[in-house]
Amino acid sequence: MGTPSLSPWAVLGLALVLVGLWAPCVVSRQPNFIVILADDVGWGDLGANWAETKETPHLDQLAAEGTRFVDFHSAASTCSPSRASLLTGRLGVRNGVTHNFAITSLGGLPLNETTLAEVLREAGYSTGAIGKWHLGHHGHHHPSSRGFDYYFGIPYSHDMGCTDTPGYNLPPCPPCPRHGTAAREARKDCYTEVALPLFENVTIVQQPVELGSLAARYAEEAARFIQRASDSGRPFFLYLALAHMHVPLTPPLPPAPGRGIYGASLSEMDALVGRIKEIADSHGKGNSLLWFAGDNGPWAQKCELAGRLGPFVGAWQRQRGGSSAKQTTWEGGHRVPALVYWPGRVPARRTSHALLSVLDIFPTLVALAGAALPPNRRFDGLDVSPVLFGRSDVGHKVLLHPNSGAAGKVGEIEALRLAQYKAFYTTGGAMACDGSTGPAERHQPPLIFNLDRDLQEQEPLDVASREYQAVLPAISRAYAQALQDIAADNVSVADYSQDPAAIPCCNVQHVGCRCHGAHGATLDPHVGKGTPRLCL
């Protein structure tokens, strides 16, 4: 009996069926990207990570509908370097940003560094940044000159300028002065005479910022940006850098009993993230990848206004004084919560133990967009899309941790992760709640901890032990190779010079540069350093 022949129409029909079965494995269009970066959030501030935390139902739902990464790290443990690394895929020793910029900074992220926004805009994306920038605001360092079609936010941390209704802080800071207010003595750690500005593109639309409504305004502007991008038919990249949790903003409602001020602010941040997810889903569930992460660990010197470390307490350091959180290379300084949500692409209810970093956001999104990495430079981040899609749970073989202000030279590679082992060549503690700091100590040979057994970093391996002697050669080789690779790279140098004329000022005639709404001032990115911007 012969094989029955198929008509051309049957062949075509079978081909269409096969294409239909195969098509879901192919991204038919460039995906949208939403990157949400929380400020000074602790690993234990996420309820899905730490059972004691009850204030994050929306983030916990995001974890349930996506993948949670429990061994995810910031590229530095302070603001500007971490953000520079996210947007370049390179450590501060390569991109030049090794410590924070000031309100008087003339420079910023070096202009020869290519940002993620620039790569994606070249690939056809509509690009927007909403929230905290902190990578330079003067001249061409403003986000509007760094690849973003739209910007709405504050140029640095929300405690780096006075407001009429100050957020919570330790020590508390006074409100902005008004006409007729007598001159006051400067307070340490408070910006008493310079109001915090709010930008829309290059225009200051409010100075001082109303902190109590900032979260709602960010949600509104995010919704508008996503709607405009959808109307244009272009894919979009939204970088939403939250003011939360640095120090708590003024919450719209009084804190609930038992949660405290920090808990109320954490709930507000959680609701904001939930609103962004809702907006993204309303424009086509499955069309957008949402990546949530922290920029570094909690700011321990703020005491009850700081976040939760979870198990990563850096016990060895705390026994010697100082904090083991923000600014340090202890796990509490750089291990941060991270979630990725992309319905139909990223597995739900999955927990990944892959060693990942905020550095990976740049190469991963560039690859998913079908774009190419910038040439003539080396990257510390990896394309981790196989990990995101659940096809692998292998991330970095080696991850470097730079000093971010606690001890030693800023930007210097002081610690290294190799598999479950973490080696410290320099240790030190940042300022703790009790005011103590841990002295810098050099270690040669390095301190080595086995994090599989010792998440608290309490007891380093005995130098004479078989385990230490077995792992030391591999760690030494990895450290030497990393330093050689950095030395051979195209390395940038950031301009950290300062001038009071660089401070954003809406109206130099008004005390504190005060202005609102239609009275806003447009800052020309071509303005030179001699142009006055500050009213003192």
Side-chain angles (χ1 to χ4, degrees), residues 31-37 58-59 62-63 66-67 69 226 236 238 240 272-281 286-293 338-343 346 361 365 368 388:
N32 303 316
F33 301 128
I34 301 173
V35 174
I36 303 179
L37 189 69
H58 295 95
L59 283 163
L62 203 64
T67 294
F69 299 93
I226 291 172
F236 65 81
L238 173 60
L240 176 57
L272 174 55
V273 175
R275 176 62 182 142
I276 299 302
K277 173 183 178 289
E278 181 182 288
I279 293 167
D281 285 345
N287 291 337
S288 300
L289 180 156
L290 191 157
W291 198 324
F292 173 89
L339 306 168
V340 175
Y341 167 77
W342 191 3
V346 169
I361 293 175
L365 299 194
L368 292 173
L388 265 56

Side-chain angles (χ1 to χ4, degrees), residues 203-206 506 515-522:
T203 300
I204 297 176
V205 294
Q206 190 181 62
C506 183
C515 72
H516 290 277
H519 302 290
T522 299

Side-chain angles (χ1 to χ4, degrees), residues 69-158:
F69 299 93
V70 294
D71 202 356
F72 189 95
H73 299 261
S74 60
S77 54
T78 195
C79 300
S80 296
S82 179
R83 291 154 202 274
S85 291
L86 186 158
L87 289 175
T88 64
R90 288 153 54 86
L91 288 165
V93 287
R94 299 186 198 268
N95 66 39
V97 181
T98 56
H99 53 290
N100 289 341
F101 294 104
I103 66 171
T104 52
S105 288
L106 291 170
L109 176 64
L111 300 179
N112 59 310
E113 289 290 324
T114 303
T115 71
L116 177 57
E118 288 170 324
V119 174
L120 293 179
R121 185 163 69 176
E122 185 69 23
Y125 278 71
S126 177
T127 56
I130 294 174
K132 173 179 171 178
W133 179 239
H134 216 170
L135 290 174
H137 52 272
H138 187 68
H140 288 291
H141 295 288
H142 188 279
S144 293
S145 298
R146 304 311 307 264
F148 290 100
D149 300 321
Y150 179 72
Y151 174 63
F152 184 90
I154 53 179
Y156 23 71
S157 298
H158 68 268

